[in-house]
Amino acid sequence: MKTQIMRALAMKNKPLVLLTVISGTVLSSLAVAQDVRMDPNYGSTDLSAGFLPDPQLVEVAIGGELDAGNADSSCYGYISDAPDYRLDYQAAGWGLGIYTSSELDTTILINTPDGEWVCNDDNYNLANLNAGYYFDDPQSGEYNIWVGAYFEEDVFGDAVLAITESPEDNWQIDLSPNFSSNIFSLRVLNNGNEVQTGLATLVTDNMVITNEALVAQGDQWIIENPQNGASLVASITATDETAGLALLTVNGIEGSPINLSYDFPETGRNIALGLAQENRQGVLQSIVETDQGISQIRHTALADDGEYGAALLNNCGEMIGISQHSSPVLSNRLRPDQDFAFSANLDSIRTFLTSNNVDYYEAFDVCLSEAELLALAEDKIREQEAILIDLFEEQEILEEERLRLQEATEELLAEQEALAAENQARLEELQAREAELEASQEAIAQAEAEQLELQERQEQLEQEAQEREEALAEAARQQEVDARNRMYQWSGFGIVVIALFGFVVMQVRKRRRSQDEAEKNIQQVKQQSQEIEEQLQKASAEFPDIVLLGKDEQGAESRLKINGNALIRSENGQLIGRSAQHADYVLNIETVSRKHLRVMVRDHKIYVEDLQSANGTAINGSVLSPGQQYELNAGDSLKVGLVTYQVNLLEKQE
């Protein structure tokens, strides 16, 4: 048995796509690819409200090379660049429906008179997931229509485009190519005269199936295509009088073989008699047994003269039976005025075709009823709504997590920036202190050089003064001798000598004042040198490290080591607290405040000051008053918050 596989997995996993109205301005990229001005592939028509016949049918080949998704993400499939069909419609209060019928999965794209685009992939009023759109209040004007293929491998497959004014729930669901390409007229001749007419259905590439009672009435059989009027001579391949079935071979016949139903529909389901122009609707009533044990279908899709042998169809257009012209085994139960008919059963058809080695086609899955299709669509809608809700909730959770991570990242970056700034400030402070120390050392060296120069100058002045005094003393002695010898001769010269002596004395006194000023400068330089020396001593001062060993109230050990050299060099001491941004030494303990206490060194002694901490500070059990400085010695008990530490001094190693 040959089974036609109709992309079952693809259809079952196909996403639900609802009708979408798309603005023409949004689809500017589509307009570049699909040109409404191009001549349509399959013609055009002008219709006014109330047109007949309704529906208007156009056979088309679906799809093309362009991706319909260019229109919008909700529009799937493949279409041509030119419209497939153009409708010029004059509206007058009627609705307007445009839909497809095909064994293949179709897409429909419509450009409305106002330039907007509508797209649909699945309309659940139709069978086989065909596409369609209904305008409640249609515009007058030009509608350009594209019929696309949902799957690329279906491009150029057959479809029927239907234009109707009937509401969606009244749309015919059996307009697939099977309707027009697998139903044929059967003429039965006997001795060259026509004795009966009926219908036959294509089941494989060159064979049709019909009612045995029809073909039994003649000796020649003519198959006619109602679409093009072509006539072909047929030959009987096999018959089964009991089942009421006949198989005819027709060479040169063209059409699409019908699919046998995957299963038999339930009692009460809608069925139809497959006719060449318009199917006749009915209801499946029951399955009855013939006198020879053959199952036949009892239904209300009555056949008129010339319609016997027609295929009985489910709502998916699949064959479930063959209409009977007469049934000898049931003739005693039939009346001309009865409102029901009989057809050969699906099981009998399968058995008949298989026994004659006919490689027939079969549907890939169960045919769902209109109510089941609607329920399936509703289930898919609810499923997608639930998925959307879950996605929205998940998106909200992810957004909250993203915001939390963003805030945490910003806090970490702020802390890093604060630490970097603090480290940079400490580095700059250290560099400034190093520069001050270097400048102090240079100033000391310069002062020492100036002091040495002043000492040398003082010694030189003292030597010059002594030499002058000795010279003056010697001159005075010589003058005294000369004065004695020449008292009278040189009296006038004595006055000059006295005046000269007075001048010399004045110069000596002046030099002594200069010497005093030099001495004063030397003293100032010595004082500056002493201050620099004190700074150097402070910079090189050593102080033992302070080690705090303690336990909290739960017995957890806590240890803190304070650098003594850094502490003695700090002007305002160093802070202990819980915050790394504010404290020099961090105690990550909840009872410790962010800035808890200050530690400092004065006169080589340790002092502590509570900084208005929440849980206070105590030395040897005595609570410290905030803002007051208290001496701290080695061996003391220091309580910080709720943790008590033993104070130890760690001397520097030589």
Side-chain angles (χ1 to χ4, degrees), residues 124 269-270 315 368-378:
Y124 291 100
R269 290 279 293 273
N270 293 329
N315 63 284
L368 301 178
S369 66
E370 294 89 336
E372 289 172 333
L373 288 173
L374 182 59
L376 180 61
E378 292 175 349

Side-chain angles (χ1 to χ4, degrees), residues 353-364:
L353 294 176
T354 302
S355 63
N356 290 283
N357 299 317
V358 177
D359 209 9
Y360 62 87
Y361 292 80
E362 190 174 51
F364 74 95

Side-chain angles (χ1 to χ4, degrees), residues 294-440:
I294 302 297
S295 297
Q296 290 196 342
I297 307 170
R298 174 173 164 168
H299 58 89
T300 61
L302 305 180
D304 296 330
D305 289 338
E307 298 175 345
Y308 292 102
L312 195 66
L313 309 175
N314 60 18
N315 63 284
C316 296
E318 303 157 355
M319 185 165 63
I320 62 172
I322 295 292
S323 175
Q324 302 294 295
H325 177 265
S326 65
S327 178
V329 297
L330 292 172
S331 59
N332 60 338
R333 304 180 227 170
L334 299 179
R335 301 190 306 274
D337 59 345
Q338 64 189 14
D339 57 356
F340 56 85
F342 293 90
S343 295
N345 195 6
L346 177 63
D347 292 337
S348 298
I349 297 173
R350 285 196 182 115
T351 302
F352 177 63
L353 294 176
T354 302
S355 63
N356 290 283
N357 299 317
V358 177
D359 209 9
Y360 62 87
Y361 292 80
E362 190 174 51
F364 74 95
D365 206 348
V366 176
C367 176
L368 301 178
S369 66
E370 294 89 336
E372 289 172 333
L373 288 173
L374 182 59
L376 180 61
E378 292 175 349
D379 290 342
K380 288 185 177 181
I381 292 174
R382 285 192 294 269
E383 181 181 347
Q384 286 207 341
E385 288 176 348
I387 293 173
L388 288 174
I389 292 173
D390 292 341
L391 289 175
F392 286 143
E393 292 177 350
E394 184 177 354
Q395 184 178 4
E396 290 177 355
I397 294 173
L398 291 175
E399 180 64 18
E400 292 176 357
E401 183 66 16
R402 186 190 67 80
L403 293 175
R404 188 187 65 80
L405 291 175
Q406 182 178 350
E407 292 175 357
T409 302
E410 292 175 354
E411 291 178 359
L412 289 174
L413 290 175
E415 291 180 0
Q416 291 179 353
E417 292 177 356
L419 289 174
E422 184 178 355
N423 292 334
Q424 181 65 27
R426 290 182 177 180
L427 178 62
E428 293 176 354
E429 183 181 358
L430 180 60
Q431 291 175 347
R433 291 181 179 180
E434 291 178 350
E436 290 177 0
L437 179 60
E438 184 178 354
S440 299

Side-chain angles (χ1 to χ4, degrees), residues 49-310:
F51 61 82
L52 292 173
D54 185 351
Q56 297 277 322
L57 304 180
V58 182
E59 292 187 2
V60 299
I62 63 176
E65 298 180 352
L66 302 179
D67 186 357
N70 293 332
D72 187 77
S73 60
S74 65
C75 197
Y76 294 91
Y78 300 87
I79 58 178
S80 64
D81 50 355
D84 289 310
Y85 201 72
R86 180 172 293 144
L87 167 66
D88 195 332
Y89 181 71
Q90 296 297 318
W94 297 75
L96 178 66
I98 302 174
Y99 65 96
T100 65
S101 178
S102 176
E103 291 182 348
L104 307 174
D105 200 352
T106 57
T107 295
I108 192 166
L109 180 67
I110 306 171
N111 184 257
T112 63
D114 61 357
E116 290 190 345
W117 297 84
V118 296
C119 180
N120 178 251
D121 162 50
D122 296 331
N123 188 300
Y124 291 100
N125 293 283
L126 305 171
N128 296 330
L129 302 179
N130 279 296
Y133 192 85
Y134 185 76
F135 299 91
D136 292 312
D137 186 17
Q139 307 167 23
S140 294
E142 188 175 273
Y143 294 79
N144 287 282
I145 306 164
W146 283 261
V147 181
Y150 187 90
F151 298 100
E152 187 174 8
E153 59 266 27
D154 292 337
V155 170
F156 305 127
D158 295 331
V160 174
L161 175 66
I163 301 172
T164 182
E165 291 176 324
S166 298
E168 289 180 278
D169 55 358
N170 291 331
W171 285 357
Q172 299 181 24
I173 61 173
D174 50 5
L175 296 178
S176 68
N178 291 339
F179 175 74
S180 59
S181 62
N182 55 28
I183 306 295
F184 298 89
S185 297
L186 170 63
R187 296 174 58 211
V188 182
L189 307 179
N190 191 13
N191 295 323
N193 298 317
E194 184 177 293
V195 296
Q196 188 62 267
T197 61
L199 296 174
T201 304
L202 192 66
V203 291
T204 187
D205 293 338
N206 63 346
M207 292 184 181
V208 296
I209 192 171
T210 187
N211 176 231
E212 185 272 339
L214 286 176
V215 302
Q217 300 180 37
D219 56 10
Q220 188 178 7
W221 304 271
I222 306 297
I223 296 295
E224 293 183 348
N225 189 333
Q227 303 301 315
N228 55 26
S231 299
L232 299 171
V233 178
S235 61
I236 295 179
T237 300
T239 59
D240 187 336
E241 183 180 0
T242 302
L245 298 173
L247 188 66
L248 284 72
T249 299
V250 190
N251 295 323
I253 193 170
E254 296 180 357
S256 299
I258 197 169
N259 288 328
L260 270 66
S261 175
Y262 182 84
D263 66 345
F264 194 78
E266 299 175 352
T267 301
R269 290 279 293 273
N270 293 329
I271 48 90
L273 197 64
L275 307 178
Q277 297 298 327
E278 183 178 4
N279 292 343
R280 184 166 297 125
Q281 305 298 315
V283 177
L284 194 155
Q285 293 183 329
S286 62
I287 302 295
V288 297
E289 296 288 333
T290 68
D291 296 340
Q292 297 183 7
I294 302 297
S295 297
Q296 290 196 342
I297 307 170
R298 174 173 164 168
H299 58 89
T300 61
L302 305 180
D304 296 330
D305 289 338
E307 298 175 345
Y308 292 102

Side-chain angles (χ1 to χ4, degrees), residues 437-488:
L437 179 60
E438 184 178 354
S440 299
Q441 292 175 347
E442 293 178 355
I444 291 173
Q446 184 179 357
E448 291 177 348
E450 291 178 355
Q451 183 179 9
L452 182 60
E453 183 180 354
L454 289 173
Q455 288 177 350
E456 292 176 353
R457 179 62 176 166
Q458 182 180 4
E459 292 175 355
Q460 183 181 356
L461 291 175
E462 289 177 351
Q463 185 177 357
E464 290 177 357
Q466 184 177 359
E467 289 176 353
R468 289 175 181 176
E469 287 178 355
E470 292 176 353
L472 288 173
E474 182 65 27
R477 286 192 297 271
Q478 186 63 38
Q479 289 176 0
E480 185 178 356
V481 172
D482 292 340
R484 291 175 181 174
N485 295 328
R486 301 175 183 173
M487 181 178 301
Y488 298 105

